[in-house]
Amino acid sequence: MRRAASRKADAPATVYRVRRYYAVALIAGLALLLFLTLARTPYVRSALETPDKKIDVVGWMWAWDFQADGQSVGHPLVLPARKLVEFAVTSKDVNHGFGIYDPDGRLVAQTQAMPGYVNHLRVRFEEPGTYHVLCLEYCGAAHTIMMAEISVQ
Ligand SMILES: [Cu+2]
């Protein structure tokens, strides 16, 4: 009787000890996973390189304006395949979402287009083809027509 009561009193201490080991193992496991995968992200790799081409992107209701060296380059934007391109993205009115889709309709990269901010997005288009830029943020009544084309050659 006495033994059972004593065992019962120790139960919370045992639970806390097991929980502590579990928490330490979980944190160590997550830290290891982060260490092994973070260096492989495309953003980290491209951040160390010098871009081959820079494009300024201005979003406004309801279009995308592409500029290179201060000059508007029109549509479609023609870019080289397998080169590192840096998009400097901003907006001149409200927030927009700058999303690039590959020819199969898969999202390749995206960033926010915000007034007063310039977000830098680096993309390497591995395959030639027609890519599409869509606005990913509801910005007004004609939001769905806010599209552009990128021709990768
Ligand atoms: Cu929009």
Side-chain angles (χ1 to χ4, degrees), residues 96 135 137-139 143 146:
H96 300 281
C135 181
E137 193 157 323
Y138 183 70
C139 56
H143 156 75
M146 194 167 167

Side-chain angles (χ1 to χ4, degrees), residues 44-58:
V44 172
R45 258 187 284 131
S46 70
L48 303 172
E49 296 175 53
T50 305
D52 299 294
K53 204 165 177 70
K54 288 184 179 180
I55 301 292
D56 292 315
V57 180
V58 181

Side-chain angles (χ1 to χ4, degrees), residues 7 33 39 53 104 128-129 147:
R7 215 179 294 142
L33 208 62
K53 204 165 177 70
D104 297 325
M147 294 184 261

